[in-house]
Structures are given as structure tokens and as C-alpha cells.
Amino acid sequence: MTSTKGLEGVVATQSSISSIIDDQLTYVGYKIDDLAENSSFEEVVYLLWNQKLPNKSELDTFKAELAANMELPGAIIDHLRSYDLSTVHPMAGVRTAVSLLGLYDDQADVMEEQANKQKALRIQAKVSAVVTAFARIRQGKDPVKPKKDYGYAKNFLYMLNGEDPKDIEVEAINKALVLHADHELNASTFTARVCVATLSDIYSGVTAAIGALKGPLHGGANERVMEMLTDIGEIENAIPYIDEKFKNKEKIMGMGHRVYENGDPRAKHLRRMSKELSKVIREDKWYNMSVKIEDYIKEQKGLPANVDFYSASVYHSLGIDHDLFTPLFTVSRMSGWLAHILEQYNNNRLIRPRAEYVGPKTQKYIKMEDRK
């Protein structure tokens, strides 16, 4: 029995939700390029959960149900107000608040298929409100209630800022939500499936997944990208900064990806949005700096940008606080986690791998009085 570090190359389950084959990402067989350019986030969520794109009637109903379930219980808002917002990282706050939602759901431990689908809908609706409420409360503002006639992306920006967003801003958030919705058996998705494979409840599964996404090697990468761009400051500093990283053998966030050999197919869509948005806010240095860094690292190390690299400048251009980048990732990836949780429940087997033991063998027990 031989281990594989990081489970790299290990096929742990079968799934019909998303695939990465020959550097092409698909959701239920649909290419990510087609979905990113044509679909609303709600269409993609419906696709992931139901294995088919909705017709107009199905989509209208689904969008209405999401909007109707978006408002948070007052107890959750009171809980968010109780945080010491000077020390709490948003991902820790979101993780705890999402877990707390389960205490206010009288169906939390009902395991029938229809009950789980309804819980999935409520969780997907409310996670957007959790993130935006956290952001506003720490600014000393009241949470904003969603509008039932707004789509998911538009409602996110409306609840975050308290004003109607521009069309290009809605387009950018919708595209980001679509691109981040699922990504095969990534670390947080695997965590969710391991958790619910014990037949734990759906709230436990998504809370465990949020904990995994919080790490800088997973969901936290785009926040670190923006920290890097801010440290660089001006475009003429970019190459010397990267050379110093190379010299010190430091990891550069947002570059390369374990499962793509020739580049992340999602990155180009956010690269285009970064270019457009940086022009809108008249701060194109963030886009230009990103392009210069990507081109240089590709030339020097053969590593192209991944989706996190350009999402950083997109979110910055939208005025989103840098430490909210990963919570926004959570809002999107929640759809994929829930799809995988539902799939796991429908064909469950406890996930219990083995470990290759490398510790000492055949040691002899020594009585206390004889130990040195």
C-alpha cells in the first residue's frame, strides 16, 4: 500500500457534475466558455443541481425561489453584530454564520431527497446575504434586504452597497459566480463529500467546505494576489518584485494550477472583465500590472495565470474589500458544494481511505520506572 502526497492523481469517486479533461472545464458536459458568455448564475446552479439547463418557466420559478429565500433571520443578523469585527476574518464569520443557519431550519436533520433540495436552495440564497450583511455591519451600516425582482448577481451588489449596480458590474459578478461555481473534486468539495458521507446534515457539509476554502492555497489565493499587486504599487516595480520572489523561491499566488497543463480556461474571461472594469474606474494599472506579471512568469517559468489571478483585480475594481474576495468565492462555490452533497447522498458510501504508515515499528513497551 503506497501513498500519494496530496492524493495527486488519485480518482476518489465518480461524478456527473463537472469535469476537467484535456484542460477543458465543463459543467454537466457544457463548456465553461459557453456558460461564462451566455448563462446567468441561476441557470448554472440549476444545471449543477438538476443535470440539465432550465427552460424559461423553470428558470423563472428558480430565480423567484432564490430571491424569496435570501433574507436572513433576525437572529443571524444579531449574531453578526456580536462579532468583534476588528479581529474576525470574514471567512471565519461566514463559516460560523452559515453553520448557525442550521439551528433556524426545522428541516436541518430531515434527510429525504426533497427536503435536502429545499435546504440547498435556502442555503444558496442566504449565503449571499450573510456575506453582504457581514460587510455592511462592520462598516457600521445596516444590512440591506434583497429585492425579489433582482437576479442573484444584481442582488449581491445591491445588498453589498445599498444602491443599484451598473450593468457592467452585474455582468462581472455574474461571470465570476459562473466561473467559480464548481471545479471537480477540489479540496473544499472533497471535504464536503467526506463530511456528508457519514450521513451528517447538509449544514455540516457546507460548513466543513467553507473551512477548507478559507486556506490561502485554495480560496484565499485571490486575496493574496491583490496583496501582491498592492505591494508592487506601480507597473515599473513588477518585474523586480517578481525576480525577488524567484530569488527567494517564494510561491506566487494565482499562477499555475495542479490540474491544468496548458492554462486555466476560466482565466481569460476574468482577464477581459479586469480590462473593462479598470477602464471604468480609470485605474488600468492593476490590469496592466497583472498582464505584465503573467507574461513574465509564463516566459520565465512556463506558468500561465489561473482564475484567481484576474479575479483579484476584477473584485478590486468593483470596490470590494480585499478580505471579502474569498467570501465571494464561497457564495459561488456553494452551488458546487451543494450539487456534490446531493450527489453523495443519492449514492452514498462512507469515504474512509487508508494511510501508509511510516513511523517506528515493533517498539517494546517500557515501564514508567525504566524510562529515561
Side-chain angles (χ1 to χ4, degrees), residues 116-136:
N116 280 327
K117 284 187 175 181
Q118 287 302 309
K119 281 178 284 186
L121 188 144
R122 290 193 289 273
I123 292 168
Q124 184 66 59
K126 286 178 169 56
V127 67
S128 179
V130 167
V131 171
T132 55
F134 181 100
R136 290 185 66 81

CSV table of all heavy atoms in Angstrom, one decimal, residues 116-136:
chain,number,residue,atom,x,y,z
A,116,ASN,N,-33.7,17.9,1.4
A,116,ASN,CA,-32.3,18.3,1.1
A,116,ASN,C,-32.2,19.3,0.0
A,116,ASN,O,-31.4,20.3,0.0
A,116,ASN,CB,-31.4,17.1,0.8
A,116,ASN,CG,-31.0,16.4,2.1
A,116,ASN,OD1,-30.8,17.0,3.2
A,116,ASN,ND2,-30.8,15.1,2.0
A,117,LYS,N,-33.0,19.1,-1.1
A,117,LYS,CA,-33.0,20.1,-2.2
A,117,LYS,C,-33.6,21.4,-1.7
A,117,LYS,O,-33.0,22.5,-2.1
A,117,LYS,CB,-33.9,19.6,-3.3
A,117,LYS,CG,-33.2,18.5,-4.1
A,117,LYS,CD,-34.0,18.1,-5.4
A,117,LYS,CE,-33.2,17.1,-6.3
A,117,LYS,NZ,-34.0,16.8,-7.5
A,118,GLN,N,-34.6,21.4,-0.9
A,118,GLN,CA,-35.1,22.7,-0.4
A,118,GLN,C,-34.1,23.4,0.6
A,118,GLN,O,-34.0,24.6,0.5
A,118,GLN,CB,-36.4,22.5,0.4
A,118,GLN,CG,-37.6,22.1,-0.6
A,118,GLN,CD,-37.8,23.2,-1.6
A,118,GLN,OE1,-38.0,24.4,-1.2
A,118,GLN,NE2,-37.9,22.9,-2.9
A,119,LYS,N,-33.4,22.6,1.4
A,119,LYS,CA,-32.3,23.2,2.2
A,119,LYS,C,-31.2,23.8,1.3
A,119,LYS,O,-30.7,24.8,1.7
A,119,LYS,CB,-31.8,22.1,3.2
A,119,LYS,CG,-32.7,21.9,4.4
A,119,LYS,CD,-32.1,20.8,5.3
A,119,LYS,CE,-32.3,19.4,4.7
A,119,LYS,NZ,-31.9,18.3,5.6
A,120,ALA,N,-30.9,23.1,0.3
A,120,ALA,CA,-29.8,23.6,-0.6
A,120,ALA,C,-30.2,24.9,-1.2
A,120,ALA,O,-29.4,25.9,-1.2
A,120,ALA,CB,-29.6,22.6,-1.8
A,121,LEU,N,-31.5,25.1,-1.6
A,121,LEU,CA,-32.0,26.3,-2.1
A,121,LEU,C,-31.9,27.4,-1.1
A,121,LEU,O,-31.4,28.6,-1.4
A,121,LEU,CB,-33.4,26.2,-2.6
A,121,LEU,CG,-34.0,27.4,-3.4
A,121,LEU,CD1,-34.9,26.9,-4.5
A,121,LEU,CD2,-34.7,28.3,-2.5
A,122,ARG,N,-32.3,27.1,0.2
A,122,ARG,CA,-32.3,28.1,1.2
A,122,ARG,C,-30.8,28.6,1.5
A,122,ARG,O,-30.5,29.7,1.7
A,122,ARG,CB,-33.0,27.6,2.5
A,122,ARG,CG,-34.5,27.5,2.3
A,122,ARG,CD,-35.2,27.3,3.6
A,122,ARG,NE,-34.9,26.0,4.2
A,122,ARG,CZ,-35.7,24.9,4.0
A,122,ARG,NH1,-36.6,25.0,3.1
A,122,ARG,NH2,-35.4,23.7,4.6
A,123,ILE,N,-29.9,27.6,1.6
A,123,ILE,CA,-28.5,27.9,1.9
A,123,ILE,C,-27.9,28.8,0.8
A,123,ILE,O,-27.2,29.8,1.0
A,123,ILE,CB,-27.7,26.6,2.0
A,123,ILE,CG1,-28.2,25.9,3.3
A,123,ILE,CG2,-26.2,26.9,2.1
A,123,ILE,CD1,-27.6,24.4,3.4
A,124,GLN,N,-28.1,28.4,-0.5
A,124,GLN,CA,-27.6,29.1,-1.6
A,124,GLN,C,-28.1,30.6,-1.6
A,124,GLN,O,-27.4,31.5,-1.9
A,124,GLN,CB,-27.9,28.5,-2.9
A,124,GLN,CG,-27.3,29.2,-4.2
A,124,GLN,CD,-25.8,29.1,-4.2
A,124,GLN,OE1,-25.2,28.0,-4.2
A,124,GLN,NE2,-25.1,30.2,-4.2
A,125,ALA,N,-29.4,30.7,-1.3
A,125,ALA,CA,-30.0,32.1,-1.2
A,125,ALA,C,-29.4,32.9,-0.1
A,125,ALA,O,-29.0,34.0,-0.3
A,125,ALA,CB,-31.5,31.9,-1.1
A,126,LYS,N,-29.2,32.3,1.0
A,126,LYS,CA,-28.9,33.1,2.2
A,126,LYS,C,-27.4,33.3,2.3
A,126,LYS,O,-26.9,34.3,3.0
A,126,LYS,CB,-29.4,32.4,3.5
A,126,LYS,CG,-30.9,32.5,3.7
A,126,LYS,CD,-31.4,31.8,4.9
A,126,LYS,CE,-32.8,32.2,5.2
A,126,LYS,NZ,-33.7,31.9,4.1
A,127,VAL,N,-26.5,32.5,1.7
A,127,VAL,CA,-25.1,32.7,1.9
A,127,VAL,C,-24.7,34.1,1.3
A,127,VAL,O,-23.8,34.8,1.8
A,127,VAL,CB,-24.3,31.6,1.2
A,127,VAL,CG1,-24.4,31.6,-0.3
A,127,VAL,CG2,-22.8,31.7,1.6
A,128,SER,N,-25.4,34.5,0.2
A,128,SER,CA,-25.1,35.9,-0.4
A,128,SER,C,-25.5,36.9,0.7
A,128,SER,O,-24.7,37.9,0.8
A,128,SER,CB,-25.9,36.0,-1.6
A,128,SER,OG,-25.7,37.3,-2.2
A,129,ALA,N,-26.6,36.8,1.4
A,129,ALA,CA,-27.0,37.8,2.4
A,129,ALA,C,-26.1,37.8,3.6
A,129,ALA,O,-25.8,38.8,4.2
A,129,ALA,CB,-28.4,37.5,2.8
A,130,VAL,N,-25.5,36.6,3.9
A,130,VAL,CA,-24.6,36.5,5.0
A,130,VAL,C,-23.3,37.3,4.7
A,130,VAL,O,-22.9,38.1,5.6
A,130,VAL,CB,-24.2,35.0,5.3
A,130,VAL,CG1,-23.0,35.0,6.2
A,130,VAL,CG2,-25.3,34.3,6.0
A,131,VAL,N,-22.8,37.2,3.6
A,131,VAL,CA,-21.5,37.9,3.2
A,131,VAL,C,-21.8,39.4,3.2
A,131,VAL,O,-21.0,40.2,3.7
A,131,VAL,CB,-21.0,37.4,1.9
A,131,VAL,CG1,-19.8,38.2,1.4
A,131,VAL,CG2,-20.5,35.9,2.0
A,132,THR,N,-22.9,39.8,2.5
A,132,THR,CA,-23.1,41.2,2.4
A,132,THR,C,-23.5,41.8,3.7
A,132,THR,O,-23.1,43.0,4.0
A,132,THR,CB,-24.2,41.5,1.4
A,132,THR,OG1,-25.4,40.7,1.7
A,132,THR,CG2,-23.7,41.1,0.0
A,133,ALA,N,-24.2,41.1,4.6
A,133,ALA,CA,-24.6,41.6,5.9
A,133,ALA,C,-23.3,41.8,6.8
A,133,ALA,O,-23.2,42.8,7.4
A,133,ALA,CB,-25.6,40.7,6.6
A,134,PHE,N,-22.4,40.9,6.7
A,134,PHE,CA,-21.2,41.0,7.4
A,134,PHE,C,-20.4,42.2,7.0
A,134,PHE,O,-19.9,43.0,7.8
A,134,PHE,CB,-20.3,39.7,7.2
A,134,PHE,CG,-19.0,39.7,7.9
A,134,PHE,CD1,-18.8,39.0,9.1
A,134,PHE,CD2,-17.9,40.5,7.4
A,134,PHE,CE1,-17.6,39.1,9.8
A,134,PHE,CE2,-16.7,40.5,8.1
A,134,PHE,CZ,-16.5,39.8,9.3
A,135,ALA,N,-20.3,42.4,5.7
A,135,ALA,CA,-19.6,43.5,5.1
A,135,ALA,C,-20.2,44.9,5.6
A,135,ALA,O,-19.4,45.8,6.0
A,135,ALA,CB,-19.6,43.5,3.6
A,136,ARG,N,-21.5,45.0,5.6
A,136,ARG,CA,-22.1,46.2,6.0
A,136,ARG,C,-22.1,46.5,7.5
A,136,ARG,O,-21.8,47.6,7.9
A,136,ARG,CB,-23.6,46.3,5.5
A,136,ARG,CG,-23.7,46.4,3.9
A,136,ARG,CD,-25.1,46.5,3.5
A,136,ARG,NE,-25.7,47.8,3.9
A,136,ARG,CZ,-25.5,48.9,3.3
A,136,ARG,NH1,-24.7,49.0,2.2
A,136,ARG,NH2,-26.0,50.0,3.8
